[in-house]
Amino acid sequence: MGLIQDIRTIKRKDPAARHWLEILLTYNGMHAVWAYRFTHVLWRLRLKLLARILSSLTRLLTGVEIHPAARIGKRFVIDHGTGVVIGETTHIADDVLIYHGVTLGGTGNESGAKRHPTICTGAMIAAGAKVLGDIHVGMYAKIGANAVVLRDVPDYSTAVGIPARIIPNEKTTGLVCSLASKSAEK
């Protein structure tokens, strides 16, 4: 069911997606997410070296690097995936959309610490954006193209620029979601 749901989600979110067979055969971002889901299972089964090897092969084939330990929810779409990097302690909730060249990267080098971002439900991260460190991008927040985000982005806000500044909208709550463990894969 997950594969069909992924294809339907891409069809809904990408106006260039014309047919399910085209999506199945040509969408490298979707292929990377499918490979991630397999390597994530291997990671959880403590087959970590095998998971990393397959993850590296996926990067060579798709241009997308997703660490097998990352936690990613349902209906996650990487559009034009080349150059995407998703780090080890990243948490991504359901219905998130990211574009090419996005980095969800870490800061620091403490083993066992959360070093990567948490991306909440419905967020959108535009091409080339860098979201760095243990920060939260709120529900339905938007990150502008090439933004460098170094601090939390509240729900329904937009972050633009280098370093990113927050542009609230009328729905902005000032709060940032706390991603419940049940909304992302464990």
Side-chain angles (χ1 to χ4, degrees):
M1 188 62 162
L3 304 180
I4 293 168
Q5 185 179 55
D6 287 343
I7 291 170
R8 286 181 179 154
T9 301
I10 289 171
K11 184 88 169 102
R12 190 176 69 250
K13 290 188 175 191
D14 183 358
R18 288 180 281 284
H19 189 272
W20 69 268
L21 188 58
E22 173 189 21
I23 296 167
L24 180 67
L25 296 175
T26 67
Y27 275 64
N28 69 321
M30 184 182 66
H31 299 148
V33 171
W34 288 353
Y36 152 78
R37 295 200 189 286
F38 179 69
T39 63
H40 184 69
V41 169
L42 294 174
W43 187 269
R44 293 193 61 212
L45 292 171
R46 294 186 173 21
L47 299 170
K48 293 181 178 183
L49 178 58
L50 180 58
R52 290 299 303 263
I53 291 168
L54 293 176
S55 178
S56 292
L57 288 173
T58 299
R59 184 187 69 232
L60 290 173
L61 294 172
T62 65
V64 176
E65 180 176 347
I66 306 174
H67 194 286
R71 292 175 36 197
I72 299 175
K74 299 173 187 166
R75 297 174 302 277
F76 173 57
V77 174
I78 302 173
D79 196 359
H80 304 290
T82 304
V84 168
V85 176
I86 299 173
E88 178 181 18
T89 62
T90 301
H91 294 185
I92 300 174
D94 299 340
D95 301 307
V96 171
L97 171 64
I98 66 173
Y99 289 90
H100 59 282
V102 166
T103 298
L104 303 179
T107 55
N109 59 359
E110 294 178 41
S111 180
K114 176 107 168 68
R115 303 178 322 273
H116 298 86
T118 297
I119 312 300
C120 297
T121 302
M124 187 280 298
I125 305 174
K130 311 301 178 222
V131 183
L132 305 174
D134 181 15
I135 62 174
H136 283 72
V137 173
M139 292 179 13
Y140 302 97
K142 295 179 182 176
I143 308 297
N146 296 313
V148 177
V149 182
L150 303 172
R151 61 186 177 112
D152 289 350
V153 178
D155 297 348
Y156 300 98
S157 296
T158 300
V160 295
I162 304 171
R165 67 184 186 286
I166 306 302
I167 302 170
N169 79 18
E170 61 275 356
K171 290 184 180 181
T172 299
T173 62
L175 301 174
V176 176
C177 77
S178 60
L179 184 59
S181 60
K182 68 177 180 173
S183 67
E185 287 183 350
K186 292 182 181 170

